[in-house]
Amino acid sequence: RHSMLPRHVQRLGRDWLTHWNGSQVLALNSPVCSCTRWAGHYLPWASFPLPVSADFSAHCRFPPFFGPWRQFQSFNWHLDNYTQSCCFHLPNPSMKSEGEEPLTKKRRLSGQDDTSTPEQETNLSNQKKVSCLSVAQNEEKHGSKEGTIRRHWEYFCQQNKTKKISKKKRSNQSSTANEATFDFTVMSYNILSQNLLEDNSHLYKHCRQQLLFWTYRFPNILQEIKELDADVLCLQEVQEDHYRTEIKSSLESLGYHCEYKMRTGRKPDGCAICFKTSKFSLISSNPVEFFRRDIPLLDRDNVGLVLLLQPRFHCKASAAICVANTHLLYNPRRGDIKLTQLAMLLAEIASVAPQKDGSFCPIIICGDFNSVPGSPLYRFIKEGKLNYEGLAIGKVSGQEQFPRGQRILSIPIWPKKLGISQNCVYEIKHQQKEENAGEKLEVTKPDNTQEIVITSEKLSSKLQHHFKLSSVYSHYFPETGVPEVTTCHSRSAVTVDYIFYSAANDDTASQPGAEDSFCGGLKLLGRLALLTEKDLWSVNGLPNEKNSSDHLPLLAKFRLIER
C-alpha cells in the first residue's frame, strides 16, 4: 500500500478515472490527445520539462508505486485536460533530470546525426504552438497569478532626470565650439535559445511548463525590446531558425538593421547586433569564430561579432563607434579557454577600432561573459592587465565558490600559431606596424637579442589590452551592498552579463583610471537599474509570465563626445 496516494488510485484497473484537485483527469485507453508521455516519476511539485509528441505507451516508465511494468505495458496512457494545476508532470526522457549537470558545451567531432526526424520536429513544433495558444487564452481569461517588478532608471546627468530615456528619441543635444555630442541607447540581452532551454530543462524546474514554449516567450521578448526601444541591440543565444523566420523580420519592422553570427558547431544559436538605421549606418561587420581546428585548446564553438558604426547626426564625418557582442564559454573549469576567447575578441576590436590619428574610436563591449564581478577575467577587462602566474583555471571566472578546476594556467595560455600576442593584438599586423616604425633598429639588432626577446614574450604570464574600459553597472546596490543580478534560474542568481565602454574624460560614472582614456569617448548618461535575487524570486525567478528569458536585459544611455 502507498499511503501517499488516494485509495482509488491504488486500485488501478481498466477504464477508471482519477480526479486530482478537481482539475486533472487521467484516463486509460481513452481516445484523447497523446501530446505527453511519462518518462520518470515526479512529485506534483517537481520539475516538468516540455512535453513531446510520441506514442505514450512506447516510451513510458512508471514509478515503483504503480507495480510491475509488465502489468501495464499494453495500456495506452494519455493525459486529458492538461492545465497549470495538473497533479502529474510528464517530462521528456531526453531531458535532464534534476540531478544531472548541463550538457557539455564541448564541440562534438564524432559527426553523429540527431536521431529525430524532420517529421517529428515538425509535429513537435506544431503541437507546441497549439498548446501555447490555449495557454495564452487561458491566462487572458483567468489573469496572471504572478506579480511584476518595475525597473527604474538611474541618471548620471542632471539635465536628463526629467526625461524618460526609453521614449526620448530626439535629444536636445548641446554643442560647443570644440565638442559635438550624440546620444544613443544600447541594450545587451541574452534571450535564452529554445534549444538550450530544452537541453537544460533542470534549470527551469521552478517554471510552469506553459511559460517555456517559444510561442509564448517570443511575444514577451519582442514586447520588451519594443518598450525599451534601444538604438543598438546586442543579443545572445539567438537561435538561427527563429532568427531567420521571426526575429530578423520583426526587428526590421521596428527600424533595425540586423547582423548575425551563428555558432560554428551543432548548437543552432549565435550573437546578433541590431541598430536603428535612423541613428547609424554600417561601416563594417566582423564576425569572430573562437573555434580553431588546428588548436586543441580552442575546441569550443562560441563566437563574437564586432561592428563599426557611423552615427548619422551631429558628428564629424570621421566619427565612428565600435560595438562588440559575444557569449563566452560557460564551463566554469575552463578559464584557459575563456581568456583565449576574450583575447581573440579584443584582438579583432583592436584591428577594427583604430582611427587615423592612431587612437581608438569609442568602444562598447556587450555580452554574456560567464564570469562574475571581481573575478580575474572581469578585472582583466576593466584594468587592462592580468598576471595569471599560478592561477588555477577554475578560478578565472569566479563562477564556483569552491572551484573544481585546480590545474594551473600554462604559460603562455595559447600557442604561438594562434597569431595573437600577450597584448591581445594580431601579431602579424602588430609586427608589420613595428617594422614600419623602426626598420633601422631591427637591422642593427643582433640575432641573439631577437631570440631573447621572443623567448621572454613566450614565457610572459602577463596579459594586457589597450582599451581603458568602464562597466555601466556597479554590481552592488550602494545603499545595502546587496549584489545585482542579471540571470536567475533554479541553480544560481548572479551577474554574468555586462556592458563595458570607453569613457570620456569628463564621465563622472566611469571607473577610476579611465579618465585618461581616448580622444573624446562615451559619457554614461543613465542606465536601467538591475534587481536583487530576492526581487526576482518574488516573481518566481526567471523566466516568468512577463520576463521570458533567464537573463535580464541591460540598457544604458551614452553620449558620444568628439573633441
Side-chain angles (χ1 to χ4, degrees):
R1 288 182 174 268
H2 300 272
S3 58
M4 291 181 65
L5 293 175
R7 182 170 297 178
H8 58 280
V9 177
Q10 300 174 29
R11 299 173 181 174
L12 291 175
R14 191 177 180 83
D15 300 322
W16 55 263
L17 300 175
T18 299
H19 298 266
W20 192 288
N21 291 335
S23 64
Q24 188 62 55
V25 179
L26 183 65
L28 284 177
N29 296 329
S30 175
V32 296
C33 173
S34 59
C35 66
T36 55
R37 66 188 180 201
W38 189 283
H41 54 283
Y42 280 73
L43 295 177
W45 53 85
S47 64
F48 46 105
L50 300 175
V52 297
S53 175
D55 180 8
F56 190 82
S57 62
H59 299 278
C60 55
R61 291 186 292 106
F62 293 93
F65 55 75
F66 276 119
W69 160 243
R70 292 182 180 177
Q71 289 181 247
F72 305 97
Q73 189 172 7
S74 61
F75 290 171
N76 288 324
W77 291 78
H78 301 291
L79 193 62
D80 194 13
N81 298 332
Y82 189 76
T83 67
Q84 63 184 17
S85 59
C86 60
C87 69
F88 291 121
H89 306 308
L90 309 180
N92 182 340
S94 66
M95 303 277 184
K96 301 291 170 295
S97 66
E98 62 179 281
E100 293 181 17
E101 291 294 330
L103 288 180
T104 178
K105 307 288 184 177
K106 186 173 182 179
R107 180 184 177 90
R108 299 179 180 178
L109 299 176
S110 61
Q112 296 179 353
D113 295 330
D114 294 332
T115 56
S116 59
T117 64
E119 291 79 6
Q120 289 175 329
E121 292 178 358
T122 302
N123 293 336
L124 172 61
S125 177
N126 292 338
Q127 288 183 4
K128 286 181 179 180
K129 289 180 180 179
V130 172
S131 177
C132 183
L133 289 175
S134 63
V135 169
Q137 294 170 356
N138 182 60
E139 293 192 352
E140 285 182 6
K141 180 177 179 180
H142 297 287
S144 171
K145 293 185 178 181
E146 298 178 6
T148 58
I149 293 183
R150 299 292 181 184
R151 296 172 63 186
H152 64 276
W153 276 92
E154 297 174 334
Y155 299 94
F156 297 98
C157 289
Q158 188 69 29
Q159 62 267 29
N160 284 294
K161 289 187 177 180
T162 59
K163 300 174 184 177
K164 192 171 184 179
I165 292 181
S166 62
K167 293 185 178 180
K168 174 176 172 284
K169 304 313 297 175
R170 291 187 178 182
S171 57
N172 56 341
Q173 302 167 357
S174 60
S175 299
T176 61
N178 62 343
E179 185 177 285
T181 61
F182 172 76
D183 294 358
F184 63 100
T185 52
V186 176
M187 175 195 291
S188 181
Y189 194 10
N190 183 327
I191 64 173
L192 180 57
S193 160
Q194 189 68 21
N195 178 269
L196 292 176
L197 182 155
E198 295 176 14
D199 281 352
N200 299 278
S201 59
H202 60 284
L203 299 179
Y204 312 106
K205 60 186 179 181
H206 61 284
C207 302
R208 296 209 314 273
Q209 181 185 23
Q210 301 96 316
L211 307 183
L212 300 180
F213 293 124
W214 175 250
T215 43
Y216 180 92
R217 294 175 54 231
F218 178 60
N220 274 357
I221 293 170
L222 187 61
Q223 184 61 32
E224 271 189 300
I225 293 175
K226 286 181 180 179
E227 290 178 356
L228 296 177
D229 197 24
D231 297 313
V232 180
L233 305 175
C234 291
L235 306 178
Q236 304 89 40
E237 291 194 20
V238 180
Q239 192 162 308
E240 191 274 338
D241 57 336
H242 293 156
Y243 173 78
R244 179 169 27 86
T245 59
E246 297 177 277
I247 298 175
K248 185 173 186 288
S249 57
S250 298
L251 293 179
E252 286 177 343
S253 68
L254 298 177
Y256 290 98
H257 171 83
C258 303
E259 293 289 324
Y260 178 71
K261 175 57 183 174
M262 183 179 171
R263 287 167 68 175
T264 50
R266 300 179 65 191
K267 296 292 185 183
D269 66 282
C271 294
I273 300 180
C274 313
F275 59 88
K276 288 284 185 71
T277 56
S278 60
K279 299 293 286 281
F280 298 95
S281 60
L282 179 64
I283 299 176
S284 66
S285 178
N286 310 274
V288 185
E289 296 182 355
F290 299 144
F291 173 77
R292 297 295 174 87
R293 191 173 300 276
D294 60 335
I295 300 178
L297 174 69
L298 296 173
D299 61 349
R300 310 304 165 97
D301 297 302
N302 307 82
V303 295
L305 186 60
V306 181
L307 264 57
L308 197 61
L309 301 179
Q310 171 78 55
R312 289 192 180 274
F313 306 110
H314 304 290
C315 290
K316 300 175 183 178
S318 60
I321 299 173
C322 181
V323 180
N325 183 24
T326 193
H327 188 180
L328 298 185
L329 176 70
Y330 164 77
N331 193 334
R333 298 177 296 281
R334 293 309 304 267
D336 52 346
I337 299 179
K338 292 174 188 278
L339 283 173
T340 307
Q341 291 179 346
L342 177 60
M344 295 171 73
L345 181 71
L346 294 173
E348 185 64 27
I349 296 173
S351 70
V352 170
Q355 301 184 114
K356 293 181 179 179
D357 61 358
S359 63
F360 292 106
C361 69
I363 295 169
I364 298 173
I365 306 178
C366 300
D368 180 346
F369 291 82
N370 277 313
S371 302
V372 302
S375 65
L377 187 143
Y378 173 87
R379 295 200 311 271
F380 173 53
I381 295 175
K382 286 191 65 175
E383 298 173 6
K385 58 184 178 181
L386 174 67
N387 187 348
Y388 59 86
E389 183 177 4
L391 180 62
I393 60 174
K395 295 182 178 180
V396 170
S397 63
Q399 292 166 276
E400 295 180 331
Q401 186 176 2
F402 304 102
R404 289 171 280 178
Q406 297 301 327
R407 180 168 60 84
I408 302 301
L409 287 169
S410 61
I411 302 175
I413 299 175
W414 55 83
K416 185 78 172 177
K417 64 180 177 180
L418 179 60
I420 295 177
S421 72
Q422 299 292 291
N423 292 327
C424 298
V425 295
Y426 292 125
E427 284 188 322
I428 297 176
K429 296 180 181 179
H430 184 65
Q431 187 177 2
Q432 289 176 349
K433 192 174 181 180
E434 286 182 345
E435 288 176 356
N436 295 334
E439 187 174 358
K440 293 182 180 179
L441 292 176
E442 288 193 9
V443 172
T444 59
K445 282 183 181 179
D447 292 341
N448 60 343
T449 306
Q450 288 183 348
E451 291 178 1
I452 294 172
V453 171
I454 293 173
T455 303
S456 64
E457 182 182 357
K458 285 184 178 180
L459 297 178
S460 173
S461 62
K462 296 179 180 179
L463 295 179
Q464 290 181 323
H465 67 76
H466 300 292
F467 317 121
K468 294 180 179 176
L469 302 172
S470 296
S471 173
V472 165
Y473 290 91
S474 55
H475 315 308
Y476 296 90
F477 290 93
E479 302 85 3
T480 61
V482 176
E484 298 173 336
V485 168
T486 67
T487 181
C488 179
H489 50 65
S490 297
R491 289 287 179 91
S492 66
V494 293
T495 287
V496 294
D497 306 276
Y498 303 93
I499 301 177
F500 297 104
Y501 70 102
S502 52
N505 295 352
D506 58 348
D507 184 13
T508 57
S510 67
Q511 69 180 69
E515 57 274 358
D516 60 341
S517 186
F518 310 148
C519 181
L522 297 171
K523 185 172 185 177
L524 181 62
L525 301 182
R527 66 192 178 197
L528 185 62
L530 289 170
L531 301 171
T532 67
E533 180 179 2
K534 182 178 179 181
D535 292 333
L536 289 173
W537 282 118
S538 71
V539 291
N540 200 37
L542 295 172
N544 55 51
E545 288 187 358
K546 302 298 182 183
N547 308 99
S548 287
S549 173
D550 58 349
H551 291 248
L552 291 173
L554 280 59
L555 184 61
K557 181 169 184 178
F558 296 105
R559 172 166 293 168
L560 173 64
I561 298 176
E562 285 191 312
R563 298 190 185 281

